[in-house]
Amino acid sequence: MGINKSTFEKLRQQTFVIIYGTNTAAGRLFDLFLLGIILLSVVLVMLETVQGFDTKYHTQVVFLEWLITIFFTIEYILRIISIKKPLQYIFSFYGIIDLIAVLPMYLSLFITGTSVLTIVRAFRLIRLFKILNHPQFTGQSLHLKDALLASRSKIVVFIYFVLISTVFIGSIMYVIEGPENGFTSIPTSIYWTIVTLTTVGYGDISPSTPLGQFVASFVMVLGYGIIAVPTGIVTAELAKSDSSKKKSTKNPCSHCGTEDHTAKAIFCYNCGNNLSNE
Amino acid sequence: MGINKSTFEKLRQQTFVIIYGTNTAAGRLFDLFLLGIILLSVVLVMLETVQGFDTKYHTQVVFLEWLITIFFTIEYILRIISIKKPLQYIFSFYGIIDLIAVLPMYLSLFITGTSVLTIVRAFRLIRLFKILNHPQFTGQSLHLKDALLASRSKIVVFIYFVLISTVFIGSIMYVIEGPENGFTSIPTSIYWTIVTLTTVGYGDISPSTPLGQFVASFVMVLGYGIIAVPTGIVTAELAKSDSSKKKSTKNPCSHCGTEDHTAKAIFCYNCGNNLSNE
Amino acid sequence: MGINKSTFEKLRQQTFVIIYGTNTAAGRLFDLFLLGIILLSVVLVMLETVQGFDTKYHTQVVFLEWLITIFFTIEYILRIISIKKPLQYIFSFYGIIDLIAVLPMYLSLFITGTSVLTIVRAFRLIRLFKILNHPQFTGQSLHLKDALLASRSKIVVFIYFVLISTVFIGSIMYVIEGPENGFTSIPTSIYWTIVTLTTVGYGDISPSTPLGQFVASFVMVLGYGIIAVPTGIVTAELAKSDSSKKKSTKNPCSHCGTEDHTAKAIFCYNCGNNLSNE
Amino acid sequence: MGINKSTFEKLRQQTFVIIYGTNTAAGRLFDLFLLGIILLSVVLVMLETVQGFDTKYHTQVVFLEWLITIFFTIEYILRIISIKKPLQYIFSFYGIIDLIAVLPMYLSLFITGTSVLTIVRAFRLIRLFKILNHPQFTGQSLHLKDALLASRSKIVVFIYFVLISTVFIGSIMYVIEGPENGFTSIPTSIYWTIVTLTTVGYGDISPSTPLGQFVASFVMVLGYGIIAVPTGIVTAELAKSDSSKKKSTKNPCSHCGTEDHTAKAIFCYNCGNNLSNE
């Protein structure tokens, strides 16, 4: 029994290293395999919604869906067993997603029509971000993330102004064009305003009165100017974080305190002090 | 009577603090409550224009509208009473908007069909900007505002060029495509040019002759290049104000108080005081 | 006769100052008046193409058009008489435009249907750029112009790549979608590619086969990345010219040669030398 | 025979200089002529797909196509003969393209309907990039290329996030709108998401339910913010490479040859040599 338990413990540990770890060859292989299965399951759910495909390959798709569901179920159970604190995993973000990914298929056995819910399996795609754990990408992601976080409050202020503007412009366009020209209500008018301001321009609703077209032209030129703002914010932030990163790698001169030496500098450019002594 | 007057005065002052103030808990609560009511009233006006909703909940909506109107009326009267210089408030920007917000409903009692004018109540949304009085947002707003103000004259020049271009391109497209292809008049052609240059592209009017499509392609590539200009202007301005802001936080001179020394400064550029002694 | 000639000469000079000059009050007034007439004439030509307007106010429009034509003719003759070298004006850019602006109306007397050519009058709008002769705007225009000129060769390279890409993508989409889905020919396909790459997206032609939609998605994401390039070029150029302008306004220290003093600097920040002595 | 062989060798060398070289007048002339023929052949293939044009000028087009094919064939053979290592050319990128460019026409002799494959001739357009071998453009191309390469990994991370987002948004919109509103399947929904996020907005598919329009508005505002990211990345990179280029043009050290001193440098940062003596 003692040996049995130790064998089980050993197995548990090995399973843990394979499923949770990313440092061993087996761990990386399992991650890649899992990601492949997730991608496959998402593609399957997608294709299931395509009319022609579903009628042709219905049996095969259902078979594959069950295969994937069973694989995910086993993986889920192994994750619970192999970890030391199973509850922590079960109620973690990934734990809940992993559970949600398998539930719909089992539910579809009892309630018909719930197989479309397997769509939630797409949430497991979030695991794909793990691929980005390569140092090159991590650095870049962090850089991007920092710049976006730094520009957050500016962008909130900006979106706030834009949203209030859309309410105003939407109301005005509703009064000008009216329901007979497709601006059936103020919410619809606001939808049109957003479609126009963001330069998407579906054309499902478009002004037909001369005054409406005039105001629309004004809105478009405004949107043109407005698009410059978020771009400007993010660019300025990215450029800043670039230069501040550059600066932080510089070594200050102990003699005269000059700080902005280039990375290759051996002597201080201000007083000629040898920087390599420091 | 003297006590009565003093009580009234005290009440007036308390009302003032609650309605106009933002520093006390009651003042902040009132502001939030007011903003909630304004948002609700705007949402109501919006929903009223939705066909299905209006026929279903007409009585409730009218009831709520009157409730809000009466609340706004009381608030308006309290604002006049509690302030020391009532006329200054009445003829101020906010005072006029507050009055305009309640008038349409009372007017609708005498003249039918004016209830649609309650839309002007959306102007009270401008009070929403008060929410942004948080230091974090105020700084960011000012930063954005400064950058936009600084780029104002460049953007005026730019829009000026764009507008003249649209007249030219619109005239040319009217001659090429003509009324039979949807370019019914030069103003319509100019509208199409703006729709295209700003990359909105509704598709309600689109060129159908080969020559028209060729010129349109040219206009689009032009618009592509043109969109770079306002973005470039705003970004350069934001980046500039960023770096100038950074500079102004550098060590102030203890002698003359000048603040915007560059990082490398050893002596104050204004009085010659040695900055390194500090 | 001598007096007469001198009177004529004086009159000629006064006319010259009024018509060509912009420094006297009369000259500025004439310029503004002329610009008003040009704007009016352009608006008239525009409105003439609007169906409803033309049938209603045909007589008035024709009357005004002749009035403007006669005014422009007199102005043209005065410009020739009052200048010292008339031929230089006649064959100058503005001279030719001024002539072209009046010709169509006179031509319409002999040949019917040429009145639509009065559209060329829009070319006189170029005179509107004179308004921008205000120092504030001139500086900004020059700044913009410099940045655009500096980024010219980069943008040429960029457009070159884009054009070749459109030929490739257009050909591929023609093969995939074919004439039955609106991609009637390769030139039409290229037109569609430009409409898509520039994110205009009329929707007059849009892919309907799954493969076509897949390739189109790819083209859109490409266009998304591509739009960053001209913006990046212009922004970098504007930011550069901003900083180089800032630098060029700095006075170098005669003692230590430090160059990047701020505009307000009185003492050199490097050696404390008094800059105002220079 | 010896003389003959030497004559042939001489001829071969002259042919090589003309066909492959770009330094002699003849070489440049041949390049321009070749590019002209390539452009002509591409235009021909394009026009062939235009209905009206083909029925009218079918014989002439076919004649010209054969003329060009024969010219390309001769050029291909000459390229093989004149080069010292023919196999290296044959299996090079350009060699394969040159072969592919002539094959379809010969194939069309045996199999009908393959003449449409002459479209692959467009690949020879890549040779057009040779025109850009002018130093002015080469520098700019390299500059652009460097900036794009440097921003590569950031853009990969960005596109990765965008693609996963499109799968999520597409699935949600499919559930909300459903096949009855044009969102026939999840892949189609993802296509719509890309069309919307990139602000192309064809309008072939557009949301019609209020909830769908609300989510679409959200997606558009998101796309608005998202478009800022690639622009910001490229701009920051271009600005950075600009400033680093600027730095490298500063005064070189006479002692060790190091070139990228900052403008303020007094001593060489590499060897400590006093730069101000120069």
Side-chain angles (χ1 to χ4, degrees):
Chain A
M1 273 298 265
I3 293 160
N4 248 19
K5 207 186 167 185
S6 147
T7 311
F8 171 77
E9 187 55 37
K10 219 173 157 185
L11 212 76
R12 217 195 58 142
Q13 220 153 10
Q14 274 180 334
T15 314
F16 178 82
V17 166
I18 291 169
I19 293 185
Y20 287 93
T22 52
N23 295 325
T24 63
R28 270 197 297 273
L29 208 75
F30 175 78
D31 269 15
L32 276 177
F33 181 70
L34 181 63
L35 290 173
I37 298 289
I38 293 172
L39 267 179
L40 177 70
S41 77
V42 169
V43 169
L44 267 183
V45 178
M46 279 187 198
L47 288 177
E48 227 181 323
T49 65
V50 179
Q51 203 63 35
F53 185 88
D54 190 44
T55 49
K56 222 170 172 180
Y57 302 102
H58 188 72
T59 333
Q60 291 94 319
V61 166
V62 168
F63 176 75
L64 265 174
E65 292 246 321
W66 273 111
L67 214 73
I68 290 166
T69 305
I70 289 159
F71 173 81
F72 280 178
T73 312
I74 294 169
E75 183 217 340
Y76 183 65
I77 292 164
L78 283 178
R79 277 187 190 269
I80 293 174
I81 294 172
S82 69
I83 210 164
K84 272 175 192 164
K85 297 176 177 171
L87 285 174
Q88 208 172 331
Y89 163 71
I90 290 169
F91 294 106
S92 73
F93 178 67
Y94 279 122
I96 291 164
I97 282 175
D98 290 352
L99 181 65
I100 285 173
V102 294
L103 276 187
M105 275 307 269
Y106 292 114
L107 266 171
S108 70
L109 287 179
F110 309 102
I111 311 151
T112 52
T114 55
S115 77
V116 82
L117 287 173
T118 45
I119 247 163
V120 295
R121 213 174 265 167
F123 281 111
R124 290 207 80 182
L125 276 176
I126 296 169
R127 279 201 185 269
L128 277 172
F129 288 124
K130 265 198 173 170
I131 294 183
L132 296 178
N133 261 344
H134 191 279
Q136 188 195 4
F137 290 112
T138 315
Q140 301 296 348
S141 305
L142 279 177
H143 190 185
L144 260 180
K145 207 178 146 194
D146 284 357
L148 289 175
L149 278 179
S151 48
R152 197 180 32 176
S153 51
K154 264 202 216 78
I155 282 182
V156 165
V157 170
F158 170 72
I159 286 181
Y160 189 84
F161 276 77
V162 168
L163 283 185
I164 292 187
S165 306
T166 57
V167 173
F168 275 103
I169 297 167
S171 303
I172 291 166
M173 284 304 282
Y174 172 71
V175 172
I176 293 174
E177 290 279 327
E180 63 273 18
N181 292 321
F183 293 75
T184 49
S185 65
I186 293 182
T188 308
S189 270
I190 292 173
Y191 164 71
W192 171 87
T193 310
I194 292 174
V195 168
T196 302
L197 262 187
T198 56
T199 78
V200 170
Y202 287 131
D204 50 350
I205 308 164
S206 63
S208 30
T209 64
L211 184 58
Q213 293 185 341
F214 182 78
V215 174
S217 300
F218 183 79
V219 172
M220 284 170 223
V221 173
L222 191 75
Y224 214 50
I226 277 177
I227 213 169
V229 177
T231 311
I233 293 168
V234 174
T235 306
E237 217 55 64
L238 273 170
K240 200 160 69 179
S241 70
D242 266 353
S243 63
S244 66
K245 206 176 64 177
K246 216 188 280 169
K247 250 174 209 159
S248 66
T249 61
K250 304 290 151 54
N251 46 341
C253 171
S254 63
H255 191 255
C256 70
T258 311
E259 267 181 332
D260 52 344
H261 301 294
T262 58
K264 297 166 289 168
I266 300 169
F267 296 95
C268 171
Y269 69 73
N270 193 40
C271 65
N273 180 38
N274 196 327
L275 292 168
S276 48
N277 295 342
E278 299 173 33
Chain B
M1 273 297 265
I3 294 158
N4 249 20
K5 204 186 169 185
S6 147
T7 312
F8 172 77
E9 187 55 36
K10 220 171 157 187
L11 211 78
R12 217 194 59 143
Q13 219 152 11
Q14 274 180 334
T15 315
F16 178 82
V17 167
I18 290 169
I19 294 186
Y20 287 94
T22 52
N23 295 325
T24 64
R28 269 197 298 274
L29 207 75
F30 175 79
D31 269 15
L32 277 177
F33 181 70
L34 181 63
L35 290 173
I37 297 288
I38 293 172
L39 267 179
L40 177 71
S41 77
V42 169
V43 169
L44 267 184
V45 179
M46 279 186 198
L47 288 176
E48 228 182 325
T49 64
V50 180
Q51 203 63 36
F53 186 88
D54 191 44
T55 49
K56 221 170 173 180
Y57 302 102
H58 188 72
T59 332
Q60 290 93 321
V61 165
V62 168
F63 176 74
L64 266 173
E65 292 246 319
W66 273 110
L67 214 73
I68 290 166
T69 305
I70 288 159
F71 173 81
F72 280 177
T73 312
I74 294 169
E75 182 218 340
Y76 182 64
I77 292 164
L78 283 179
R79 275 187 191 270
I80 293 174
I81 293 172
S82 70
I83 207 164
K84 273 178 191 160
K85 295 177 179 173
L87 286 175
Q88 206 172 332
Y89 163 69
I90 290 169
F91 294 106
S92 73
F93 178 67
Y94 279 122
I96 290 164
I97 282 176
D98 289 353
L99 181 65
I100 285 173
V102 294
L103 275 187
M105 275 307 269
Y106 292 113
L107 265 173
S108 70
L109 287 179
F110 308 102
I111 312 152
T112 53
T114 55
S115 77
V116 81
L117 287 173
T118 44
I119 247 162
V120 294
R121 213 175 265 167
F123 281 111
R124 289 206 81 182
L125 277 175
I126 295 169
R127 279 202 185 268
L128 277 172
F129 288 124
K130 264 198 172 169
I131 294 183
L132 296 177
N133 260 346
H134 192 278
Q136 189 195 4
F137 289 111
T138 315
Q140 300 297 348
S141 305
L142 279 178
H143 191 185
L144 260 181
K145 206 177 145 194
D146 283 358
L148 289 176
L149 277 180
S151 47
R152 198 179 33 177
S153 51
K154 264 203 215 77
I155 282 182
V156 165
V157 170
F158 169 71
I159 287 180
Y160 190 84
F161 276 77
V162 169
L163 283 185
I164 292 187
S165 305
T166 58
V167 173
F168 275 104
I169 297 168
S171 304
I172 291 165
M173 284 303 282
Y174 172 72
V175 173
I176 292 174
E177 291 280 327
E180 63 274 17
N181 291 322
F183 293 74
T184 49
S185 64
I186 292 182
T188 307
S189 270
I190 291 172
Y191 164 72
W192 171 87
T193 309
I194 292 174
V195 168
T196 302
L197 261 187
T198 56
T199 77
V200 170
Y202 287 130
D204 51 350
I205 309 164
S206 63
S208 31
T209 64
L211 184 59
Q213 293 186 340
F214 182 78
V215 174
S217 301
F218 182 78
V219 172
M220 284 169 223
V221 173
L222 191 75
Y224 214 50
I226 276 179
I227 212 168
V229 178
T231 311
I233 293 169
V234 174
T235 307
E237 218 55 63
L238 273 170
K240 201 160 68 180
S241 70
D242 265 353
S243 63
S244 65
K245 203 177 65 176
K246 217 188 280 170
K247 257 174 204 159
S248 66
T249 62
K250 295 293 152 48
N251 52 330
C253 172
S254 63
H255 192 255
C256 69
T258 311
E259 266 181 332
D260 53 343
H261 300 295
T262 58
K264 300 155 280 142
I266 301 169
F267 298 95
C268 172
Y269 69 72
N270 193 39
C271 64
N273 179 38
N274 197 326
L275 292 167
S276 47
N277 295 341
E278 297 174 33
Chain C
M1 273 298 264
I3 293 159
N4 250 19
K5 205 186 169 185
S6 148
T7 311
F8 172 78
E9 188 54 36
K10 220 172 158 186
L11 211 75
R12 219 194 58 143
Q13 219 151 11
Q14 274 180 333
T15 314
F16 178 81
V17 167
I18 290 169
I19 294 185
Y20 286 94
T22 53
N23 295 325
T24 63
R28 270 197 297 275
L29 207 77
F30 176 79
D31 268 14
L32 276 177
F33 180 71
L34 181 63
L35 290 172
I37 297 288
I38 293 172
L39 268 178
L40 177 71
S41 78
V42 169
V43 169
L44 267 184
V45 178
M46 279 186 197
L47 288 176
E48 227 181 326
T49 64
V50 179
Q51 204 62 37
F53 186 87
D54 191 44
T55 48
K56 220 169 172 181
Y57 302 102
H58 188 72
T59 333
Q60 290 93 321
V61 166
V62 167
F63 175 73
L64 266 173
E65 292 246 320
W66 273 112
L67 214 72
I68 289 165
T69 305
I70 288 161
F71 173 81
F72 280 178
T73 312
I74 294 169
E75 183 218 340
Y76 182 66
I77 292 164
L78 283 179
R79 275 187 191 270
I80 293 174
I81 293 172
S82 69
I83 208 165
K84 272 178 191 160
K85 294 176 178 175
L87 284 176
Q88 207 171 330
Y89 163 70
I90 290 169
F91 294 106
S92 75
F93 178 66
Y94 279 121
I96 290 164
I97 281 175
D98 289 352
L99 181 64
I100 284 173
V102 294
L103 274 188
M105 275 307 270
Y106 292 113
L107 265 172
S108 70
L109 287 179
F110 308 102
I111 312 153
T112 52
T114 55
S115 77
V116 82
L117 287 173
T118 45
I119 249 162
V120 294
R121 215 176 264 169
F123 281 111
R124 290 207 78 181
L125 277 176
I126 296 169
R127 279 202 185 268
L128 278 172
F129 288 123
K130 264 198 173 170
I131 294 182
L132 296 177
N133 261 345
H134 190 279
Q136 188 195 5
F137 289 111
T138 314
Q140 300 296 349
S141 305
L142 280 177
H143 190 186
L144 261 180
K145 207 176 145 196
D146 283 356
L148 289 175
L149 278 180
S151 48
R152 197 179 34 176
S153 51
K154 264 203 216 78
I155 283 182
V156 164
V157 170
F158 169 72
I159 286 181
Y160 189 84
F161 277 77
V162 169
L163 283 184
I164 292 186
S165 306
T166 58
V167 173
F168 275 104
I169 298 168
S171 303
I172 291 165
M173 284 303 283
Y174 172 73
V175 172
I176 293 174
E177 291 279 329
E180 63 275 18
N181 291 321
F183 293 75
T184 48
S185 66
I186 293 183
T188 307
S189 271
I190 292 173
Y191 163 71
W192 171 87
T193 310
I194 292 174
V195 167
T196 302
L197 261 187
T198 56
T199 78
V200 170
Y202 287 131
D204 50 349
I205 309 165
S206 62
S208 31
T209 64
L211 184 59
Q213 292 185 341
F214 182 79
V215 174
S217 300
F218 182 79
V219 172
M220 284 170 224
V221 173
L222 190 77
Y224 215 50
I226 277 178
I227 212 169
V229 177
T231 310
I233 293 168
V234 173
T235 306
E237 217 56 64
L238 273 170
K240 200 161 68 179
S241 70
D242 265 352
S243 63
S244 66
K245 203 176 67 177
K246 216 188 280 170
K247 251 174 208 158
S248 66
T249 61
K250 304 290 149 56
N251 45 340
C253 171
S254 64
H255 190 254
C256 69
T258 312
E259 267 183 332
D260 52 344
H261 301 293
T262 57
K264 296 166 289 170
I266 301 169
F267 296 94
C268 171
Y269 69 73
N270 194 40
C271 65
N273 180 38
N274 196 327
L275 292 168
S276 47
N277 297 340
E278 298 172 32
Chain D
M1 271 297 264
I3 291 158
N4 249 18
K5 204 185 169 184
S6 146
T7 311
F8 172 76
E9 188 54 37
K10 218 172 157 186
L11 212 75
R12 217 193 60 141
Q13 219 152 12
Q14 274 180 335
T15 313
F16 178 82
V17 168
I18 290 169
I19 294 186
Y20 287 93
T22 53
N23 296 324
T24 63
R28 270 198 298 275
L29 208 75
F30 175 79
D31 269 14
L32 276 177
F33 181 70
L34 181 62
L35 291 172
I37 297 288
I38 293 172
L39 267 178
L40 178 70
S41 79
V42 169
V43 169
L44 266 183
V45 178
M46 279 187 198
L47 288 177
E48 226 182 325
T49 64
V50 179
Q51 204 62 36
F53 186 88
D54 191 44
T55 48
K56 221 169 173 180
Y57 301 102
H58 188 73
T59 333
Q60 289 92 322
V61 166
V62 169
F63 176 74
L64 265 173
E65 292 245 322
W66 273 111
L67 213 72
I68 290 167
T69 305
I70 289 161
F71 173 80
F72 280 176
T73 313
I74 294 169
E75 183 218 339
Y76 183 65
I77 293 164
L78 283 179
R79 275 186 192 271
I80 293 173
I81 293 172
S82 69
I83 209 164
K84 271 175 192 164
K85 296 175 177 175
L87 285 175
Q88 207 173 330
Y89 162 71
I90 290 169
F91 294 106
S92 74
F93 178 67
Y94 280 121
I96 291 163
I97 281 175
D98 289 353
L99 180 64
I100 284 173
V102 295
L103 275 187
M105 275 306 270
Y106 292 114
L107 266 171
S108 71
L109 286 180
F110 308 103
I111 312 151
T112 52
T114 55
S115 77
V116 81
L117 287 173
T118 46
I119 248 162
V120 295
R121 214 175 264 168
F123 281 111
R124 290 207 80 181
L125 276 176
I126 296 169
R127 280 202 184 268
L128 276 172
F129 289 123
K130 265 199 172 169
I131 293 183
L132 296 178
N133 261 343
H134 191 279
Q136 189 195 3
F137 290 111
T138 315
Q140 300 296 348
S141 305
L142 279 177
H143 189 186
L144 261 180
K145 207 179 147 193
D146 283 357
L148 289 175
L149 277 180
S151 48
R152 198 179 32 175
S153 51
K154 264 203 217 77
I155 282 181
V156 165
V157 170
F158 169 72
I159 286 180
Y160 189 84
F161 277 77
V162 169
L163 283 184
I164 292 186
S165 305
T166 58
V167 173
F168 275 104
I169 297 168
S171 303
I172 291 166
M173 285 303 282
Y174 172 73
V175 172
I176 294 175
E177 291 279 328
E180 63 275 17
N181 291 322
F183 293 74
T184 49
S185 65
I186 293 182
T188 308
S189 271
I190 292 173
Y191 164 71
W192 171 86
T193 310
I194 293 174
V195 168
T196 302
L197 261 186
T198 56
T199 78
V200 170
Y202 286 131
D204 50 350
I205 308 165
S206 63
S208 30
T209 65
L211 185 59
Q213 292 185 341
F214 182 78
V215 174
S217 301
F218 182 78
V219 172
M220 283 170 224
V221 172
L222 191 76
Y224 214 50
I226 277 177
I227 212 169
V229 177
T231 311
I233 293 168
V234 174
T235 307
E237 218 55 65
L238 273 170
K240 201 160 67 179
S241 70
D242 264 353
S243 63
S244 65
K245 204 178 66 177
K246 215 190 278 170
K247 257 173 203 159
S248 66
T249 62
K250 296 291 151 51
N251 52 330
C253 171
S254 64
H255 191 253
C256 68
T258 312
E259 267 183 330
D260 53 343
H261 301 294
T262 57
K264 300 154 280 149
I266 302 169
F267 297 94
C268 172
Y269 69 73
N270 193 39
C271 64
N273 180 37
N274 196 325
L275 291 168
S276 47
N277 296 341
E278 298 173 32

